[in-house]
Amino acid sequence: MIEASASFVPDPGQSVVVFIEAQHDGGGLASGPGVAMGAGPGGGSGGRDAHLGIRVADPRTPAILVTDQGLTRGDGVFETMTAVPRSDSSDASRTSAPAQAGGYRIRKEESHLERLASSAAALELPIPAAELWRRAARAGLEAFAETNPGADAVVKLVATRGPEPTPGSTTERTSERTSERTSEPMSPSGTYWVLVSPVSPAFAAARERGLKVLLLDRGFDSSVAERAPWLLLGTKSLSYAVNMAALRHAASQGADDVIFFSSDGQILEGPTSTVLLARRVPQRGGPEQGGPQAIELVTPLRNTGILPGTTQGTIFAAAERAGWDLGYGPLETSDLFDADAVWLVSSVRGVAPVTHLDGEALPQDAELTEQLHRFLAEDLEPGEHGPTS
Ligand code: PLP
């Protein structure tokens, strides 16, 4: 059933947005539960009343103030999840996540919500409680499903610090309190929305074709994230202009994507993806003698300022169950060239094999790629391999 506020249904192939916002009298908003902070203690709204509700709307209608700090400073956080139509009754048993969202299952929903909260905590950004994001996503998917039955969807969660405070305003006083680090709970005063959209066919094409990738210097050493937490490395902040510039640079060189390395030579991540590589490790009494062959699946070290990926986490969880050896770097450029296969993985693209690195052809292993697709389809919650563990 569609939430009471679902007055908008998108045209086929179009998107729908669900705002999480303060409930006004007669404003047609669904009433919301309490709110929780992304940062700081407690989960309630304390003395500051912040009753949030959801509103389903047309994303083509102007809605964000020009003073919103998400726009003017990239001051906010986001998550991008995928949702697939629920196919059978066994879905609920696959994951620990709540399985239903308007006939959809949102993949790794809990991991994404936890990472949203931890990114928000890094920015000291108060955000609504997870349950409200879930409700908003469900309402968006229900509206989307009306005109896009059976289609996969991208579900993007965005939280900004909201409009720049005007002198003497409530939000300015909130900002002062944030910077003074008082223990008084803040209520969410930012701008929050969930956008549900169709999946771009470009991602399926990248999976099929594979990716030509350029190695690019990120300009930081691999320990800067720990030394300088204000750089917000490893958080999914809205400040992705640098990542997008790297992708444009790659395109200008005829490449499809990028793998960043640190100034001290560590492999980091793609601008919107996690790096995975596999090595087939000969065993004693190995394949030539009919014995087993071990497969080692490796991703870069996590404390190098990379975003811990939910896709890598869910693949690792399934690979571990299948008896593969898992590793968390450290990785250098030569490891990529020496690997039996390299992939870029993320929630929307899935698993895309890297075919070329800096113009040099890399080995392809269709069997391993197929196996990673199967691991991903198992849809396990990443558990100890998850972003916030
Ligand atoms: N690294 C970065 C910088 C990203 O932006 C993303 C996703 O957009 C990822 C890794 C992959 O994360 P996930 O697998 O959770 O989508």
Side-chain angles (χ1 to χ4, degrees):
M1 203 185 80
I2 297 180
E3 296 247 5
S5 54
S7 51
F8 172 76
V9 171
D11 289 338
Q14 299 298 312
S15 308
V16 54
V17 66
V18 184
F19 290 100
I20 302 174
E21 57 190 10
Q23 185 181 9
H24 303 293
D25 283 346
L29 299 178
S31 64
V35 292
M37 290 171 52
S45 54
R48 297 174 56 80
D49 272 338
H51 297 293
L52 299 179
I54 61 174
R55 178 172 59 91
V56 181
D58 183 348
R60 294 166 300 188
T61 306
I64 311 293
L65 290 178
V66 293
T67 54
D68 195 289
Q69 295 169 92
L71 299 176
T72 59
R73 294 174 174 161
D75 194 355
V77 297
F78 74 106
E79 279 295 323
T80 308
M81 320 190 286
T82 52
V84 290
R86 245 168 356 113
S87 53
D88 62 56
S89 55
S90 68
D91 277 350
S93 62
R94 286 192 191 167
T95 74
S96 57
Q100 297 189 12
Y104 276 87
R105 185 179 74 250
I106 296 179
R107 293 188 143 151
K108 312 177 258 92
E109 184 179 18
E110 291 314 294
S111 271
H112 282 288
L113 288 170
E114 284 167 15
R115 193 171 63 185
L116 184 77
S118 80
S119 294
L123 273 73
E124 298 187 32
L125 181 73
I127 61 167
E131 183 48 33
L132 206 40
W133 290 103
R134 279 193 212 100
R135 278 184 54 208
R138 196 163 58 236
L141 284 165
E142 284 170 352
F144 181 80
E146 293 258 311
T147 40
N148 298 277
D152 290 359
V154 176
V155 181
K156 185 167 182 177
L157 317 178
V158 182
T160 83
R161 205 173 296 280
E164 283 164 13
T166 49
S169 69
T170 320
T171 43
E172 187 186 51
R173 290 195 295 274
T174 303
S175 316
E176 281 165 12
R177 276 221 286 278
T178 311
S179 59
E180 287 164 14
R181 293 174 190 283
T182 67
S183 58
E184 187 180 339
M186 292 173 296
S187 57
S189 56
T191 311
Y192 313 108
W193 70 90
V194 174
L195 183 70
V196 178
S197 312
V199 180
S200 159
F203 291 108
R207 279 195 296 273
E208 288 297 312
R209 223 186 31 242
L211 299 168
K212 294 185 176 131
V213 170
L214 215 55
L215 285 163
L216 292 184
D217 187 349
R218 189 175 235 173
F220 297 129
D221 70 62
S222 59
S223 62
V224 74
E226 286 172 352
R227 276 201 325 277
W230 51 87
L231 292 178
L232 299 176
L233 296 177
T235 65
K236 212 160 160 60
S237 85
L238 286 176
S239 309
Y240 261 47
V242 167
N243 301 33
M244 298 301 109
L247 289 174
R248 281 193 302 276
H249 179 78
S252 75
Q253 308 293 304
D256 307 303
D257 217 313
V258 166
I259 293 178
F260 288 120
F261 59 89
S262 64
S263 56
D264 52 338
Q266 296 269 319
I267 294 301
L268 299 174
E269 63 186 346
T272 62
S273 61
T274 308
V275 178
L276 293 187
L277 66 78
R279 303 178 184 123
R280 290 180 180 273
V281 186
Q283 299 284 80
R284 250 186 302 163
E288 61 287 356
Q289 290 136 44
Q293 189 184 37
I295 300 167
E296 196 184 4
L297 188 62
V298 189
T299 196
L301 266 183
R302 287 186 154 202
N303 63 1
T304 49
I306 62 174
L307 184 79
T310 62
T311 312
Q312 168 263 314
T314 194
I315 289 174
F316 266 39
E320 188 166 53
R321 222 158 65 164
W324 288 23
D325 294 330
L326 305 176
Y328 284 93
L331 294 176
E332 297 180 357
T333 307
S334 57
D335 293 308
L336 298 179
F337 286 107
D338 294 343
D340 289 301
V342 179
W343 303 270
L344 291 183
V345 304
S346 68
S347 297
V348 184
R349 98 188 56 202
V351 174
V354 178
T355 58
H356 295 77
L357 197 56
D358 279 353
E360 195 172 313
L362 293 186
Q364 300 300 297
D365 193 321
E367 191 189 323
L368 286 178
T369 298
E370 192 45 47
Q371 186 59 62
L372 290 201
H373 285 309
R374 280 200 292 270
F375 285 158
L376 194 56
E378 283 185 38
D379 217 359
L380 298 179
E381 280 294 329
E384 63 177 292
H385 300 293
T388 54
S389 60

